[in-house]
Amino acid sequence: MTTQGFTVPDRWKWFTESRYGMFIHWGPYAQLARGEQVLFREHLDQQEYAAQAAAWNPQHFDPELWAATAKKAGFKYACFTTRHHDGYCMWDSAYTDYSSAKQAPQRDFVREYIDAFRKAGLRIGLYYSWIDWRLPAYFEGPEKNPEGWAKVRKYLHNQVKELLTNYGQIDHFFFDGVWPRNADDLGSVELVEEMRRLQPGILINNRLGYSSAHDEYRADGGIGAGDSDTLGDFGTPEHLIVVDRKRLWESCQVTTWRLWSHVTGERWRPADVLLDMLCECAEKGGEHGGNLLLNCGPTADGELPPEFVERALEIGRWLEVHGEAIYGSDGGAITEFITRGRQTTRDNNLYLIIRFWDGRPEIRLSDLSSKVTGVTLLTTGQKLQFEQKDGELFIQGLPREAPSRLFPVIRVECDGKPEANDWGRQRLWEGDPQRVADWARSQRGTSVFMDGVER
Ligand code: GLC
């Protein structure tokens, strides 16, 4: 079992309580419907792209509807692309006219998003890309183009400060797209200090670039994400669910296949796969668990795709009943449970999230050492019979049919924080191999033999 061994300050507790955030990738690139990176990936003509971006004027963006949907879907916070790698700004920036406020929509989409989501009770996150494909100096950098670079850096800092000054409390900030710059070029250490001055409670992600003063090695949590090993309050494994042992972490994942913004004819991951990612994040990572930032790419016209809404609401209905196993849970991996599903804990409860419902009336848990005081099938509220003998727990009277389409959950109530015996604490491929030898020796008896190997 992994323990992270650090204390989460109170001002960040909302993040571990939340577990589940909505990532929103929306911008003029949605018109082309081939992903947010289409300008670069297809090596498009910059002028033509910009003209099309400037003319972009979504008619059905209804931030209140987005927020109501997000709330119903069980998300506790959201993170919205204020500016992606194409450089188009979704707010009224004083530093450029390439924005939704100055071009066709004449609207500050960031403000509309923030107002609606805040009103619905969700915490507010902003995504901001360091990269701007329109700016040659960004790619030439301080050595080749010192003057141009100084301007770009100032522009980036000014915009970030603007976002943290004009929109009230910002809870979460997601930098992205550092390549080919590093933290020293970007001045991200100074910028972060400034950000904390403006927003003392803010959580800032780790895509701040490699820092020669702070980092031992170049971390790489994703595809060219530019992670810093030490800077930033939370790690951002992308398309991956891996524990960041040093700090909080949030895995960002697509609901589709690979791209983040709206794509025509995209393939969608089923709801149970998406929910399983949420459960995996909550389960992994010792006492703090991890978060899932699940993406949605609204259409060019400003609508949440129905495929997304359908899946998100199905998960939302599951969370209404089973949310206590996820929100504010303390991570799981208490017992060995991989043959059945996933597990999380909260206070004195162990939650068994059953992926495989096999129709048998009994579940046996072989390694929970805590005394059990009650067992409830959370899905129906039904109290279940149980028996604890010789260190094993038998949960009885389970219905033959799975009580829900998505994962049923069993709450095992213990008389203290759930703990496992040695067998449960040390897992396959981990721990002392002697215990496996002892097990084989004591149980093999004389009935398994003829292998010619000495006992
Ligand atoms: C990446 C991509 C980007 C996406 C982001 C989400 O690094 O460049 O398109 O917005 O990850 O984490």
Side-chain angles (χ1 to χ4, degrees):
M1 204 182 103
T2 50
T3 43
Q4 284 156 300
F6 60 84
T7 317
V8 182
D10 282 349
R11 65 182 187 284
W12 291 347
K13 288 261 163 70
W14 70 266
F15 186 74
T16 51
E17 279 293 316
S18 296
R19 286 277 165 267
Y20 191 33
M22 177 182 186
F23 213 172
I24 304 171
H25 276 74
W26 194 50
Y29 37 79
Q31 295 177 106
L32 289 110
R34 294 193 299 280
E36 72 292 349
Q37 301 186 351
V38 63
L39 170 60
F40 173 87
R41 299 276 183 192
E42 295 188 9
H43 203 184
L44 300 180
D45 181 276
Q46 291 262 8
Q47 292 296 334
E48 280 170 29
Y49 181 92
Q52 201 177 350
W56 177 53
N57 194 4
Q59 295 302 306
H60 288 108
F61 171 47
D62 179 348
E64 309 232 321
L65 180 63
W66 286 19
T69 309
K71 177 118 189 146
K72 229 173 150 188
F75 294 111
K76 299 292 185 192
Y77 63 106
C79 180
F80 179 86
T81 45
T82 63
R83 190 190 92 164
H84 210 275
H85 310 334
D86 62 353
Y88 182 93
C89 297
M90 300 285 281
W91 78 101
D92 191 6
S93 176
Y95 305 100
T96 181
D97 60 2
Y98 194 43
S99 74
S100 60
K102 308 261 166 54
Q103 299 303 321
Q106 301 276 306
R107 287 166 73 176
D108 185 329
F109 290 141
V110 169
R111 185 172 303 285
E112 293 183 36
Y113 148 73
I114 291 177
D115 288 350
F117 278 66
R118 194 183 280 141
K119 203 162 111 206
L122 282 95
R123 294 274 183 162
I124 302 298
L126 301 179
Y127 165 106
Y128 181 84
S129 166
W130 295 105
I131 276 192
D132 184 332
W133 284 319
R134 300 167 310 139
L135 308 179
Y138 182 89
F139 301 95
E140 288 163 350
E143 281 85 35
K144 279 199 201 153
N145 184 352
E147 240 173 78
W149 171 250
K151 280 193 197 152
V152 169
R153 182 171 132 148
K154 188 143 209 264
Y155 176 67
L156 302 176
H157 285 213
N158 279 340
Q159 287 203 319
V160 171
K161 288 189 256 174
E162 186 176 49
L163 286 167
L164 299 191
T165 306
N166 296 346
Y167 297 89
Q169 185 181 318
I170 304 300
D171 304 294
H172 172 276
F173 204 89
F174 195 112
F175 282 109
D176 187 33
V178 175
W179 177 90
R181 305 270 68 88
N182 58 38
D184 303 336
D185 296 346
L186 295 164
S188 45
V189 174
E190 299 97 274
L191 180 58
V192 162
E193 270 175 31
E194 189 70 1
M195 292 169 76
R196 293 200 197 289
R197 208 179 50 71
L198 295 168
Q199 297 277 346
I202 200 167
L203 271 158
I204 301 168
N205 77 338
N206 61 340
R207 298 187 181 179
L208 295 163
Y210 172 80
S211 154
S212 52
H214 294 83
D215 290 331
E216 277 169 39
Y217 63 94
R218 283 171 199 274
D220 190 12
I223 310 146
D227 295 2
S228 164
D229 172 28
T230 55
L231 306 176
D233 308 319
F234 66 97
T236 50
E238 178 176 327
H239 304 299
L240 297 170
I241 299 176
V242 283
V243 177
D244 191 324
R245 284 174 209 281
K246 289 191 183 152
R247 54 193 159 196
L248 299 171
W249 58 275
E250 171 195 78
S251 166
C252 48
Q253 299 273 350
V254 291
T255 33
T256 50
W257 177 64
R258 167 67 178 76
L259 305 171
W260 299 82
S261 75
H262 184 65
V263 166
T264 315
E266 179 59 291
R267 296 171 195 276
W268 294 82
R269 298 178 183 181
D272 55 358
V273 170
L274 303 176
L275 175 60
D276 188 51
M277 294 195 298
L278 176 59
C279 297
E280 184 174 352
C281 290
E283 177 187 58
K284 274 187 172 169
E287 69 262 45
H288 304 307
N291 283 18
L292 175 69
L293 188 64
L294 188 65
N295 185 63
C296 173
T299 66
D301 210 22
E303 285 175 325
L304 303 178
E307 295 88 343
F308 173 82
V309 173
E310 188 194 315
R311 286 159 177 79
L313 293 183
E314 191 178 348
I315 294 171
R317 284 192 293 275
W318 184 89
L319 281 166
E320 258 171 45
V321 179
H322 305 100
E324 62 175 86
I326 301 293
Y327 300 127
S329 60
D330 298 324
I334 294 296
T335 69
E336 174 64 88
F337 197 61
I338 206 164
T339 60
R340 288 290 189 159
R342 302 198 179 275
Q343 56 191 316
T344 60
T345 65
R346 186 183 177 132
D347 305 325
N348 291 351
N349 297 327
L350 173 67
Y351 296 94
L352 305 175
I353 302 172
I354 318 284
R355 295 169 70 198
F356 317 111
W357 195 268
D358 62 8
R360 289 184 211 166
E362 186 173 89
I363 282 187
R364 167 178 160 268
L365 212 60
S366 62
D367 47 22
L368 183 70
S369 59
S370 311
K371 188 174 162 7
V372 174
T373 56
V375 179
T376 308
L377 178 57
L378 207 57
T379 314
T380 59
Q382 186 192 341
K383 292 271 170 222
L384 294 171
Q385 297 293 317
F386 67 94
E387 208 182 324
Q388 232 177 344
K389 56 175 188 217
D390 305 328
E392 299 185 341
L393 172 69
F394 297 86
I395 302 172
Q396 292 143 349
L398 295 163
R400 179 189 285 274
E401 292 296 321
S404 59
R405 207 181 78 82
L406 288 175
F407 319 136
V409 176
I410 296 173
R411 182 178 63 207
V412 179
E413 299 133 31
C414 304
D415 70 348
K417 252 199 146 343
E419 276 176 35
N421 62 22
D422 250 12
W423 190 262
R425 272 198 296 270
Q426 304 178 48
R427 297 301 159 76
L428 187 56
W429 326 124
E430 289 174 16
D432 183 357
Q434 185 59 45
R435 78 191 195 286
V436 190
D438 293 347
W439 169 55
R441 179 163 292 118
S442 67
Q443 303 223 328
R444 174 174 138 143
T446 51
S447 61
V448 185
F449 53 84
M450 299 299 282
D451 48 19
V453 180
E454 244 189 79
R455 297 173 57 194

